[in-house]
Amino acid sequence: MNNLNPRQHEAVLAITGPVLVLAGAGSGKTSVITRKIAYLIQDCGVPAHKILAVTFTNKAAREMKERAAKLVHGPEARGLMVSTFHTLGLTMLKRHPETFGLKKNFSIFDAEDSRTLLGELLHKENASDKVDLVRNLISGYKNELLLPAEAMSRAETEVDVFAATVYEQYERHLRAYNAVDFDDLIVRPTLALQNDAALREHWQNRVHYLLVDEYQDTNAAQYSMVKNLVGARATFTAVGDDDQSIYAWRGARPENMAQLAVDYPQLKLIKLEQNYRSTSRILKAANAVIANNPHVFEKQLWSQHGMGEPIRVIQCGSEDSEAEKVATEILNHKLMQRTEFRDYAVLYRGNFQARVLETKLRELQIPYKISGGQSFFARSEIKDVMAYLRLVINPEDDNAFLRIINTPKREIGPATLEKLGGYAQQRECAMLLACDEMGLGLHVGERAHGRLQDFAQWLQDTARAIIDGDDPLAAIKQMLSDIQYQDYLLDSSPTPQAAERRMESVNSFLASVQRLWDKVEDEEDRDIEAVIRKLVLLDLLEQQAEEDNSDKVQLMTLHAAKGLEFPHVTMMGLEEDLLPHRNSIESGTIEEERRLMYVGITRAKQTLTLTYSSKRKFGGESMPTTPSRFLEELPADELEWEGRSSGRSVEQKQALGNAHLSNLKNLFG
């Protein structure tokens, strides 16, 4: 632990009670967590299988596990659990399904499945345009651990009453489908831990030390889960930064950090303020902006990287000139500094801001990548195969059934499906199971009934081959061959090349199934159902394309940039109504927007450029803008303004121009 600074060292050694590590941006928090895991195992004698570390993304969990593995080798690392909150919840559901009112082969609904189910429910209420609103409200209820009856009792408006009513129907349908949604992976285990003493004792015996990363992003349910896991022993370390809490829209509560001090009066607070990423000037700007937010915990980031270059603020005439300026500045800087395109990131508040910039980058032949593109799992061909596999492990998954019953076409029309759905509802059984019932023949035609029976029989045989056979992957490939899926892709794709790309995606997916199957070490978990369920969860957690490490400028929203760093960062659109966003101005939630500004600033390692446009198009009309209030909160003596009066003399401007010309001459010999 020689290369840890004093505060990091203190955080690693503090193990006897509750600890809150206030970890500023770039302060080496992952090092603290992984070193602490090694210290607990190697120096304190805590068995690895009694240690649990949780975070929010698969990528963060993977990095944490890999770094811990380099410090703790062999048998002493066996059983160490590093996972996301949702994977932990899934593990609990999988090991004790009956505790949660589930059968073994339950399904996990992703966002699209939830939307489809709510669409069906709201269609009956003639309110199908409110799907996303109701879905967000239901997610909020779950994050607050409110059951439908409690949501109804708290309802104050007509919208609240309506959402609570739909919530009750939605939960009833999930139970009928033997399914959980993404929020349930936290909510159901948490409620069970609260109410089931035996389950709570089991998990408290399992977890002797808990480490929680990104604690500022926990919601009410996750906070309760942590409390129930640590119990009276209270041996845990929470690591987080309230200044980087930017996910209130999905339930995150930065006040959970302050609540720790209330619930655990003996809480030890350790601040990590040394930043290993950015120059002192960039950190001075970040500290100045975030100081305008109220704080329970005060901190000041500092660095030993020197002052660095001034922060540039560039005023542009329009969004077109802003995009052109950003693109040409990146190209010029790259040529003069001999850097790589991957060293540059352009951050913005909303995805729409990238459209004009993309055009300018293409004109200058600058390669770029937009983060947050379509998920691998969101591709239609992958969702098709996933739906088949979901139905294989859970015959009661009606959403999966409806997706694949006519993919490829089986001449089973919407009228037949409507009658099948009505019959299944009347019989209180799943649609797939209803296909086999003789009584269905009274509701649908003989030919349609025959096709449904044939499909149900084929899927039953296929499921048996996949789940009980010796080679599940071969059975999955046979399934795709049976339905002539490759021919279906050729028929449904605009070109043969597009069909080939889609089939490559399917083959890549099958390779993922094989890799997961090969990696299963625990014989108890060595079944294809567990592998498929893990893939469903990966779909939910990742929701992003595979990482692209090629040499491209990175374009992304400020939200997507959290956790990343780049040598050279440009932040676009520093205007009122953009950053801070109009919604936050109207609702009085400027503090979160300021935290977003802070996150953007602290992504930069060497240079930071801020741009804004004096006019921007709204509804096709060019309107004057107001520079963001956050620009005024930056330390004026650390800024270089361009595009407005700089206060430089003619001689100073001429000297700057000559220096720039000299640099270009040197560059091109």
Side-chain angles (χ1 to χ4, degrees):
M1 288 195 282
N2 294 337
N3 55 351
L4 296 179
N5 68 41
R7 294 289 76 76
Q8 290 174 325
H9 195 262
E10 181 186 4
V12 168
L13 297 183
I15 62 164
T16 55
V19 179
L20 173 60
V21 178
L22 193 66
S27 62
K29 67 183 177 65
T30 307
S31 291
V32 167
I33 293 171
T34 52
R35 292 298 184 90
K36 191 157 195 168
I37 290 170
Y39 176 67
L40 285 163
I41 295 170
Q42 296 171 333
D43 296 77
C44 305
V46 180
H49 67 271
K50 296 284 189 181
I51 298 171
L52 168 63
V54 289
T55 186
F56 281 84
T57 66
N58 280 326
K59 183 180 177 184
R62 195 162 52 240
E63 181 189 355
M64 205 181 290
K65 195 160 192 174
E66 287 168 357
R67 289 173 66 169
K70 290 177 182 176
L71 299 171
V72 185
H73 308 285
E76 62 179 358
R78 189 169 296 136
L80 173 66
M81 190 171 177
V82 180
S83 78
T84 64
F85 272 102
H86 291 89
T87 304
L88 173 63
L90 177 61
T91 300
M92 292 183 183
L93 294 179
K94 195 170 67 174
R95 290 186 183 173
H96 317 278
E98 65 289 341
T99 305
F100 308 97
L102 295 167
K103 300 169 193 169
K104 183 186 173 190
N105 57 348
F106 63 88
S107 294
I108 306 170
F109 272 33
D110 66 9
E112 187 178 321
D113 295 328
S114 296
R115 220 175 261 117
T116 300
L117 174 55
L118 285 169
E120 292 169 3
L121 297 175
L122 292 174
H123 182 69
K124 298 170 188 172
E125 306 283 345
N126 296 315
S128 54
D129 58 327
K130 294 185 172 63
V131 169
D132 285 331
L133 170 65
V134 172
R135 184 170 167 268
N136 290 336
L137 287 170
I138 290 175
S139 181
Y141 297 147
K142 291 194 174 191
N143 288 335
E144 294 293 324
L145 295 175
L146 297 179
L147 297 173
E150 295 168 296
M152 181 62 79
S153 68
R154 294 194 186 191
E156 295 180 355
T157 67
E158 284 185 22
V159 173
D160 292 338
V161 171
F162 180 70
T165 303
V166 176
Y167 180 21
E168 194 277 328
Q169 297 174 36
Y170 175 75
E171 287 297 285
R172 196 170 66 244
H173 278 75
L174 283 180
R175 285 195 297 275
Y177 295 162
N178 188 32
V180 295
D181 66 15
F182 195 47
D183 292 317
D184 285 332
L185 296 177
I186 303 295
V187 174
R188 290 205 183 195
T190 301
L191 289 172
L193 286 170
Q194 283 181 2
N195 301 323
D196 187 328
L199 184 74
R200 188 167 61 248
E201 184 179 355
H202 169 84
W203 279 95
Q204 287 178 1
N205 287 334
R206 163 70 176 79
V207 180
H208 280 203
Y209 203 94
L210 177 66
L211 301 105
V212 187
D213 188 22
E214 302 287 8
Y215 199 78
Q216 76 281 350
D217 292 337
T218 54
N219 58 33
Q222 287 157 336
Y223 184 83
S224 179
M225 178 185 271
V226 167
K227 283 186 69 178
N228 281 287
L229 285 172
V230 301
R233 190 187 292 118
T235 46
F236 69 88
T237 295
V239 182
D241 181 4
D242 50 347
D243 290 333
Q244 294 188 74
S245 182
I246 56 173
Y247 298 120
W249 48 276
R250 65 185 191 202
R253 293 161 50 101
E255 57 267 32
N256 281 352
M257 296 182 73
Q259 189 62 38
L260 280 174
V262 176
D263 292 342
Y264 301 96
Q266 72 276 37
L267 183 74
K268 183 179 182 67
L269 175 66
I270 300 169
K271 299 179 185 180
L272 303 185
E273 297 172 294
Q274 182 175 357
N275 174 286
Y276 293 92
R277 175 188 300 158
S278 308
T279 65
S280 296
R281 186 172 271 118
I282 288 169
L283 297 180
K284 183 178 177 183
N287 289 333
V289 167
I290 207 65
N292 291 278
N293 272 3
H295 285 86
V296 175
F297 308 109
E298 296 289 344
K299 70 175 185 307
Q300 284 281 313
L301 294 179
W302 59 277
S303 165
Q304 292 182 329
H305 289 323
M307 284 304 289
E309 297 184 30
I311 295 165
R312 299 171 67 206
V313 184
I314 303 175
Q315 175 184 311
C316 306
S318 67
E319 61 259 56
D320 282 330
S321 60
E322 180 186 39
E324 187 167 358
K325 182 70 173 173
V326 170
T328 54
E329 288 282 325
I330 288 172
L331 188 58
N332 290 341
H333 192 271
K334 180 188 184 299
L335 288 171
M336 294 182 68
Q337 303 298 323
R338 291 182 167 88
T339 53
E340 304 291 334
F341 282 121
R342 67 169 64 91
D343 294 334
Y344 299 86
V346 183
L347 313 180
Y348 35 77
R349 182 63 176 83
N351 277 311
F352 72 92
Q353 292 171 258
R355 292 172 196 153
V356 182
L357 179 59
E358 284 188 81
T359 303
K360 301 300 179 185
L361 292 171
R362 285 197 296 268
E363 286 175 6
L364 293 172
Q365 297 184 337
I366 297 173
Y368 66 90
K369 179 201 171 196
I370 296 186
S371 292
Q374 187 189 37
S375 161
F376 175 75
F377 287 95
R379 298 172 189 177
S380 62
E381 62 273 16
I382 302 303
K383 292 196 81 68
D384 289 343
V385 180
M386 286 291 289
Y388 272 99
L389 294 179
R390 281 168 45 194
L391 204 55
V392 159
I393 66 170
N394 179 9
E396 297 178 0
D397 191 335
D398 279 358
N399 275 34
F401 175 86
L402 288 168
R403 181 177 183 92
I404 54 92
I405 186 61
N406 275 312
T407 305
K409 294 290 183 190
R410 293 188 176 86
E411 297 182 28
I412 298 170
T416 298
L417 288 174
E418 195 171 338
K419 290 171 185 173
L420 171 64
Y423 177 77
Q425 202 164 18
Q426 176 189 326
R427 296 282 294 150
E428 296 185 345
C429 70
M431 294 173 80
L432 177 63
L433 302 180
C435 291
D436 248 348
E437 295 202 358
M438 295 306 298
L440 178 62
L442 300 174
H443 298 264
V444 300
E446 186 179 340
R447 288 181 64 195
H449 191 201
R451 289 193 185 100
L452 289 170
Q453 285 181 314
D454 289 345
F455 174 75
Q457 184 60 53
W458 169 78
L459 194 70
Q460 189 178 335
D461 295 341
T462 299
R464 195 178 301 113
I466 292 173
I467 294 171
D468 299 327
D470 296 330
D471 191 345
L473 194 71
I476 293 171
K477 289 178 179 176
Q478 183 60 49
M479 175 186 78
L480 295 177
S481 175
D482 288 349
I483 62 174
Q484 299 178 318
Y485 192 69
Q486 190 160 4
D487 292 342
Y488 164 74
L489 290 181
L490 275 168
D491 291 341
S492 60
S493 300
T495 65
Q497 292 78 11
E500 189 177 337
R501 284 195 298 273
R502 293 175 71 189
M503 198 61 209
E504 284 173 4
S505 293
V506 172
N507 290 331
S508 175
F509 172 79
L510 295 176
S512 299
V513 175
Q514 183 71 64
R515 281 196 299 274
L516 281 173
W517 177 253
D518 292 341
K519 282 168 69 175
V520 176
E521 296 173 4
D522 190 342
E523 285 299 322
E524 183 186 334
D525 286 338
R526 193 170 178 79
D527 65 81
I528 196 65
E529 292 180 59
V531 169
I532 294 169
R533 201 169 284 116
K534 182 170 270 189
L535 280 165
V536 174
L537 185 61
L538 279 173
D539 173 7
L540 293 168
L541 287 171
E542 293 291 351
Q543 296 297 314
Q544 59 188 9
E546 293 175 3
E547 288 184 32
D548 182 355
N549 294 318
S550 53
D551 188 24
K552 297 176 181 178
V553 175
Q554 304 294 304
L555 313 183
M556 65 187 72
T557 64
L558 287 158
H559 283 100
K562 185 171 176 292
L564 304 177
E565 59 182 43
F566 306 93
H568 310 289
V569 169
T570 298
M571 292 172 61
M572 293 176 66
L574 269 292
E575 302 150 28
E576 293 289 297
D577 292 339
L578 265 184
L579 186 66
H581 195 274
R582 181 184 305 166
N583 292 346
S584 73
I585 297 171
E586 292 172 353
S587 61
T589 54
I590 295 294
E591 290 171 16
E592 174 135 343
E593 294 291 297
R594 188 173 284 112
R595 293 195 289 268
L596 205 52
M597 176 77 175
Y598 174 83
V599 164
I601 293 171
T602 53
R603 299 311 94 197
K605 298 167 74 173
Q606 298 170 27
T607 70
L608 176 64
T609 303
L610 311 172
T611 69
Y612 67 97
S613 172
S614 55
K615 288 186 178 180
R616 193 172 292 275
K617 283 182 182 173
F618 294 98
E621 187 178 350
S622 188
M623 305 286 288
T625 68
T626 303
S628 170
R629 68 191 71 188
F630 300 147
L631 292 173
E632 296 303 317
E633 296 174 359
L634 294 166
D637 54 338
E638 307 299 346
L639 306 181
E640 273 192 0
W641 290 80
E642 298 177 27
R644 72 174 198 180
S645 178
S646 64
R648 291 195 184 101
S649 66
V650 174
E651 291 78 9
Q652 287 174 317
K653 291 178 182 177
Q654 192 171 3
L656 278 172
N658 289 337
H660 185 69
L661 186 61
S662 175
N663 282 336
L664 283 173
K665 285 179 179 176
N666 291 336
L667 180 64
F668 294 109

